[in-house]
Amino acid sequence: MVRAQTSHPLDPLTAAEISVAVATVRAAGATPEVRDGMRFIEVDLVEPEKQVVALADAYFFPPFQPSLLPRTKGGPVIPTKLPPRKARLVVYNKKSNETSTWIVELREVHATTRGGHHRGKVISSTVVPDVQPPMDAVEYAECEAVVKDFPPFREANEGRGGIEEMDLVMVDPWCAGYHSEADAPSRRLAKPLIFCRTESDCPMENGYARPVEGIHVLVDMQNMVVLEFEDRKLVPLPPADPLRNYTSGETQGGVDRSDVKPLQIIQPEGPSFRVNGHFIEWQKWNFRIGFTPREGLVIHSVAYIDGSRGRRPVAHRLSFVEMVVPYGDPNDPHYRKNAFDAGEDGLGKNSHSLKKGCDCLGYIKYFDAHFTNFYGGVETIENCVCLHEEDHGILWKHQDWRTGLAEVRRSRTLTVSFICTVANYEYGFFWHFYQDGKIEAEVKLTGILSLGALQPGETRKYGTTIAPGLYAPVHQHFFVARMDMAVDCKPGEAFNQVVEVNVKVEKPGDNNVHNNAFYAEEKLLKSEMEAMRDCDPLSARPWIVRNTRTVNRTGHLTGYKLVPGSNCLPLAGSEAKFLRRAAFLKHNLWVTPYARDEMHPGGEFPNQNPRVGEGLATWVKQNRSLEEADIVLWYVFGVTHIPRLEDWPVMPVERIGFMLMPHGFFNCSPAVDVPPNQSDLDDKENGLPAKPIQNGLIAKL
């Protein structure tokens, strides 16, 4: 059989493919002026139809499972090659202020090191009216330079404590959002926040410790000119806080802790996972790793190998598709802080190159990520995605009190993660796979607070004073996980539904004479409008994605359960400006039938978006049936951050997330056959035998 391509249909674009896509689009420009004005925001893989993925997995790539394809009377017709890969480009024209999307077929791609030729074919190009695409790091740097060169800006800074050295000034060009018609996308706008460092010779100084407040700047990002400037309010520059920096204790006149002994994590026989390209196998799990400039890490084709039942699909695609950070201070400039960090900036494009020894520990497999830069060149973030195993404490344990005999197993997880920095905050995104069939999604928040300056003696009810003249506004962080589920469904099958479970207290009466009775009540979510749901800790509410045609040994439908972690809803009025663009924050759970073009809950272009409720809140108005469908879960989870003194100068990691748990999926726990590991043997070597029985009780040590 001819293997026409070496990249799986879901593998991220290679550097060579990105180069071909950019060159093809640039060559297709109608005039030299058009070609010269092209700026490349995103180049991403066009993910193929699920049937193409199934064909690739059946005959061309691991797991080589012909059973993935539905049977036909004459047997499947197997092509000798897969269709060509395609790239989708978002292009901003700096001269015309137009945004366009392009689809390019990557027909022939050869590595430049081999002297090969490059050829692609434009399939389509579409001008998208009335939008602004995400901002780029090149634009941020140009904006900072333009603002710092603006004479009135220099004068205003000199009036705030004599800031004359512009090298100390930091200009963070935040997107304008949409608050009124003045923010319409007919212009490409930024409203920067200003900060000032203290020392010119300290590259690790925390510049966010000294906000320059009271200055209003509006920048035309297309032409890189200052449109508006106003020194609205003279707020003194906060004094240099001696505790402002986050470097080692010695650099702050103290010492670091000396009583922490080395902790070594070693795997002398190597890891338990296997990697073939972007295909991962571990502890009966298998899946593929993808990566996009907007979402960052994507998990594809998640399945579990379940003995005689073979490969059982769980999900087609898992990712974090959007995040929103609204602030709760009504004062300028904080009221307009409502960043869409995925849609306005890109989580993937802002990701880190991870370093062994701190970001991840143990035996690690790293994956690089390739992106286009603003001018169409290719940039690579090395070690962008981390794959490693972690010890996770006890998986399960039971000791028979009559015999003193115990069985215990340690839990191990396979973790796939990446970390990104968006201005002052860091976000770590993690998918943890467990030996008992669970999948945990986790976000770790850390970094530097976005601060405001205070007048002498002033306090703010909308934040926490953390140093003289310095306060941290209250705010929230919201994340949206998109989960294209496939519980026991082959590609092309649409046999899933969603059930909500609520625990009810039985009414007093003959069935509850002791007033202790409660029970779980299930409710099928039959349509999109019915499936707009919120967390409810009072009823211990989870949601179950069930297969409508597969049963377990008790005759019940097999399923996977979404179990919420800690969560919240927006603490804002219903008419809050940011909710125009972020209507998807109004509920914790949304459910839709799969539609290929429904990927971004706030619409593809949330930057300066004037349209109300675009995206998820609009799609569900179709009220499509969910009783038996190809189900997509959209889970919105967040945290309300009321800053503490202990969050300064750097915020310790805060964790939030949720769990996907098997619910009647397996006939018995897949954790039962986990073997005892070396930790149990070490206990015996260290002289810790099972406790003897005395008079029917376990003896005390």
Side-chain angles (χ1 to χ4, degrees), residues 378-392:
V378 179
E379 297 184 358
T380 298
I381 300 178
E382 297 180 346
N383 298 351
C384 186
V385 173
C386 173
L387 173 73
H388 71 288
E389 294 174 286
E390 292 184 354
D391 179 87
H392 195 70

Side-chain angles (χ1 to χ4, degrees), residues 114-128:
R114 290 157 48 193
H117 59 282
H118 303 261
R119 190 153 58 98
K121 177 183 178 183
V122 174
I123 302 300
S124 67
S125 67
T126 306
V127 173
V128 187

Side-chain angles (χ1 to χ4, degrees), residues 346-417:
L347 302 178
K349 290 179 70 174
N350 286 284
S351 54
H352 296 183
S353 178
L354 303 173
K355 302 300 180 185
K356 188 173 182 178
C358 191
D359 291 309
C360 308
L361 293 175
Y363 193 105
I364 301 164
K365 167 63 179 176
Y366 288 112
F367 296 84
D368 297 342
H370 307 288
F371 305 98
T372 180
N373 61 27
F374 203 43
Y375 296 103
V378 179
E379 297 184 358
T380 298
I381 300 178
E382 297 180 346
N383 298 351
C384 186
V385 173
C386 173
L387 173 73
H388 71 288
E389 294 174 286
E390 292 184 354
D391 179 87
H392 195 70
I394 295 176
L395 175 62
W396 60 267
K397 179 175 184 175
H398 180 66
Q399 178 165 303
D400 189 316
W401 67 269
R402 291 180 174 84
T403 64
L405 299 178
E407 285 286 330
V408 62
R409 302 291 187 271
R410 289 202 68 79
S411 178
R412 185 178 300 189
T413 64
L414 182 70
T415 296
V416 198
S417 64

Side-chain angles (χ1 to χ4, degrees), residues 314-315 317-319 321 431 480-487 496-499 525 531 533 542-546 560-563 588-594 598-599 601 616 626 630-636 658-660:
V314 175
R317 192 180 193 277
L318 307 172
S319 71
V321 289
W431 292 95
V480 185
R482 180 184 180 274
M483 295 166 280
D484 183 358
M485 301 300 291
V487 177
N496 281 177
Q497 61 182 202
V498 180
V499 174
L525 303 180
R533 308 298 297 164
W543 297 278
I544 303 172
V545 180
R546 283 184 172 161
Y560 252 78
K561 180 166 63 175
L562 192 165
V563 181
N588 297 129
L589 182 77
W590 307 70
V591 186
T592 61
Y594 171 78
E598 294 181 1
M599 285 294 300
L616 188 53
L626 301 173
D630 187 351
I631 292 293
V632 178
L633 298 179
W634 308 77
Y635 183 61
V636 182
F658 62 93
M659 193 78 74
L660 291 171

Side-chain angles (χ1 to χ4, degrees), residues 58-81:
Y59 297 108
F60 290 80
F61 296 91
F64 300 115
Q65 295 266 345
S67 61
L68 290 174
L69 296 177
R71 295 181 177 274
T72 59
K73 287 185 178 180
V77 178
I78 307 171
T80 58
K81 62 180 180 180

Side-chain angles (χ1 to χ4, degrees), residues 399-404 689-701:
Q399 178 165 303
D400 189 316
W401 67 269
R402 291 180 174 84
T403 64
K691 303 178 185 68
I693 303 301
Q694 293 183 354
N695 299 324
L697 298 175
I698 300 174
K700 296 181 180 179
L701 290 176

